[in-house]
Each structure stands twice: as C-alpha cells, then as structure tokens.
Amino acid sequence: MSLLVIGRSGQVARALVRRAAARGIAVEALGRPELDLEAPALAEEAIRARRPSVIINAAAYTAVDKAEDDRDRAYLLNSEAPARIAAVAAELGAPLIHFSTDYVFAGDKEAPYVEADPTAPASVYGASKREGEERVLAANPRAIVLRTAWVYDSAGQNFVRTMLRLASTRDEISVVADQHGAPTYADDLADAALTIAAKPTAFGIYHCAGQGETVWADFAAATFAGAAIRGGPSAAVKRITTADYPTRARRPANSRLNCDKLAADYGVRLRLWPDALSDCLDEIAASGWSVG
Ligand SMILES: NC(=O)c1ccc[n+]([C@@H]2O[C@H](COP(=O)([O-])OP(=O)(O)OC[C@H]3O[C@@H](n4cnc5c(N)ncnc54)[C@H](OP(=O)(O)O)[C@@H]3O)[C@@H](O)[C@H]2O)c1
C-alpha cells in the first residue's frame, strides 16, 4: 500500500505517520504549504502527482467556536475540499478514509449514537462536517467516514495537555460535568484507520471512538490522578455545568458513539479510554511534562 495522509501537523495526521512508520507502512503526509485545501485545484494536482493507493484525509477546519464567524472557510475545508479529494481518489481508484465528528448530532439522545441516527448539527463546524460526509460518500463509492470524538494526543492542542498546562499555575480548575462522551487517543484512532486502510472491504459511515464513557470533569480528574502518580502537575476539579461555561458554538450534551458496526465489519474496537490515557500520560511524562 502507498498511503497518502492529507494534513501534516494536526494530532491525527501526526499519529497516522507515527503509527504507519511503526507498522512498516510507506506513508507520505502532505500539508501546508505544499497542499493547501484553500486552493483545492492545486491540492488535487498534488494528490494526482503522487498516485497513492489509499488516501486518509486528516485535515479539517477544527476551530469549533471560530467557525461560527468563519462559515465560508469552514465549509471550504470541511465540505468542498473533502469532496474534491474524494473525487480525485475515485479517479485514481483509491479508497478514501475521511474523519468526521460527533458534532453532526444534536446531542439530545439518551443512548450512544449509532450511524443510522438522524443528524442535526447545532454548530457551523458540525454542519460543515455533515455536508462533507455526504459529499465524500457521493463522490467516491469506496469512501469510509470515521466519526470520532474528544480526540487527544501527547502533543498538539488538546484537552489533556490544556489541563496539565493549567494545573501548573492553578490549584483548582472548573470543568464541565454535564457533557457525556469518550476520549479518543489519536494513536488508537490512527491504528484503527490504518487497519481499515490495509484492507478496505466495507464502505460508508462508521463510528470510531474510545470505549467507555465519562464527562469532561472526570476526564480531567483522571488526567490529574494519572499525572500525580507520575510526578506531573495536578489540580482539584470543580464541576460546573455547560450553562456556567458559555461558548460561541453549542456542544452536544451527548457525544457518545456506539462503535459496534466497526467491530462487526472490521474487527476493530478501540481500547477503554482510561487505558489509552495511561499510555498518553507515560509519553507526556517521558517528555518531561512539556505541555506549553
Ligand atoms: N480533535 C477532536 O476532538 C476531533 C473530534 C471529532 C472529530 N475530529 C476530526 O478528526 C480530524 C482530525 O482532527 P485533529 O484533531 O487532528 O485536528 P487538528 O489537530 O486541528 O489538525 C487539523 C489539520 O488540518 C490541517 N489543515 C487545516 N487547514 C488546512 C488547509 N488550509 N490546508 C491543508 N491542511 C489544513 C492542519 O494542517 P496544518 O499543519 O497545515 O495546520 C492539521 O493537519 C478532523 O477531520 C476533525 O474534524 C476531531
């Protein structure tokens, strides 16, 4: 397989390169400036020139709050560009794995969401990602959309690193305790995508998130407990509600994704989130708690 990853510096893109290298898979990651999704025609040329046998698109407009005031760019990066990547992939006969999000749902279901549940995004980010899903699937019959949630990594911008950074200057941190989901370690997500990429046999939408469930406040508390036993920064967690922490874009109250379809079709199920968090904290500890 010759794998092309779209996106380079993002947490999932980096994890894909890291895990592909560990598995002996030939991979090239293309990001800005060589491939800028704001210039889709040039991006198409860059992809065609490489003739990959599989493409994984890990690039996206991910600034959820900013997207509310930057609608056109969010749709360009999350819908138009992925549709064009999917079409080029189809032209090359290459399957495409594309990432999407729990934000396509309203978040008011009582149980974990399944793939067939109706979508109802409450934010520009969610709506742009939903349109991207539909256009990717329409443009390439061999497209796989992996919806994930609450992604974190030992590097990059994410909740775990933000909590550890705040803990180095504060004794107590307020964290929302009424949004439910499951943290997804970027390495685990990358491994799942690479397993699928190696033998893509079924297509369409799949949910792929860490197993188990929690709320942000408990995820923070687990991060601090794990950091403390490794000699890292920790703080007390003050549980607050979504109403206490207003954000520009609305977050789903329920981000839980039922991942049974992926397990049934591909035999892939991510680890329980506390086990993955433990590995991530080991890595951050090995870096000397460099979370700045
Ligand atoms: N993070 C989460 O919690 C989460 C949850 C659910 C779903 N997802 C989905 O998972 C996927 C990966 O997310 P992530 O967490 O890895 O995001 P991230 O860390 O914010 O990375 C975003 C990626 O998009 C690339 N990008 C942005 N604008 C670009 C442009 N104009 N041209 C080319 N590349 C551009 C960035 O590349 P540069 O190096 O050029 O900046 C970077 O590689 C996305 O589809 C996202 O919607 C993420």
Side-chain angles (χ1 to χ4, degrees), residues 140-220:
N140 189 336
R142 298 179 74 211
I144 294 147
V145 171
L146 286 184
R147 283 188 191 141
T148 188
W150 294 23
V151 179
Y152 69 97
D153 189 29
S154 56
Q157 290 257 7
N158 59 67
F159 181 81
V160 169
R161 286 171 54 88
T162 299
M163 287 299 114
L164 294 172
R165 192 170 57 249
L166 293 176
S168 59
T169 56
R170 294 188 205 169
D171 295 333
E172 185 182 74
I173 298 165
S174 298
V175 188
V176 169
D178 58 358
Q179 291 171 20
H180 301 258
T184 305
Y185 186 28
D187 274 27
D188 290 358
L189 181 63
D191 269 321
L194 292 169
T195 299
I196 296 165
K199 206 172 173 207
T201 47
F203 305 96
I205 297 177
Y206 287 90
H207 289 175
C208 182
Q211 290 303 283
E213 60 181 80
T214 188
V215 294
W216 288 111
D218 291 335
F219 183 23

Side-chain angles (χ1 to χ4, degrees), residues 40-290:
L42 294 177
E44 285 172 342
E45 266 178 47
I47 297 168
R48 270 194 204 101
R50 278 152 179 98
R51 307 200 62 80
S53 64
V54 187
I55 301 174
I56 303 183
N57 177 28
Y61 188 109
T62 56
V64 172
D65 291 312
K66 208 168 147 218
E68 295 297 308
D69 302 308
D70 197 9
R71 197 176 182 282
D72 290 352
R73 195 173 309 160
Y75 272 84
L76 175 58
L77 294 186
N78 291 343
S79 175
E80 170 70 14
R84 292 176 71 159
I85 293 169
V88 178
E91 185 189 304
L92 296 172
L96 169 72
I97 298 175
H98 173 75
F99 294 101
S100 190
T101 169
D102 53 298
Y103 280 62
V104 300
F105 295 118
D108 53 1
K109 188 181 171 184
E110 292 295 325
Y113 281 97
V114 295
E115 289 80 353
D117 278 328
T119 55
S123 61
V124 169
Y125 169 72
S128 65
K129 292 292 291 184
R130 175 58 189 148
E131 191 180 277
E133 292 182 344
E134 289 175 309
R135 292 183 66 185
V136 159
L137 293 171
N140 189 336
R142 298 179 74 211
I144 294 147
V145 171
L146 286 184
R147 283 188 191 141
T148 188
W150 294 23
V151 179
Y152 69 97
D153 189 29
S154 56
Q157 290 257 7
N158 59 67
F159 181 81
V160 169
R161 286 171 54 88
T162 299
M163 287 299 114
L164 294 172
R165 192 170 57 249
L166 293 176
S168 59
T169 56
R170 294 188 205 169
D171 295 333
E172 185 182 74
I173 298 165
S174 298
V175 188
V176 169
D178 58 358
Q179 291 171 20
H180 301 258
T184 305
Y185 186 28
D187 274 27
D188 290 358
L189 181 63
D191 269 321
L194 292 169
T195 299
I196 296 165
K199 206 172 173 207
T201 47
F203 305 96
I205 297 177
Y206 287 90
H207 289 175
C208 182
Q211 290 303 283
E213 60 181 80
T214 188
V215 294
W216 288 111
D218 291 335
F219 183 23
T223 299
F224 295 141
I229 58 171
R230 292 170 174 82
S234 82
V237 174
K238 182 178 175 201
R239 302 170 78 85
I240 59 169
T241 64
T242 301
D244 296 328
Y245 187 75
T247 51
R248 182 83 179 82
R250 212 163 98 209
R251 267 76 176 157
N254 176 17
S255 287
R256 292 173 298 157
L257 299 174
N258 176 317
C259 303
D260 290 351
K261 186 180 168 206
L262 188 65
D265 287 3
Y266 278 100
V268 167
R269 199 183 277 287
L270 303 198
R271 283 181 288 173
L272 281 167
W273 72 263
D275 296 341
L277 175 62
S278 181
D279 278 3
C280 179
L281 290 172
D282 282 344
E283 273 204 33
I284 300 176
S287 77
W289 302 101
S290 129

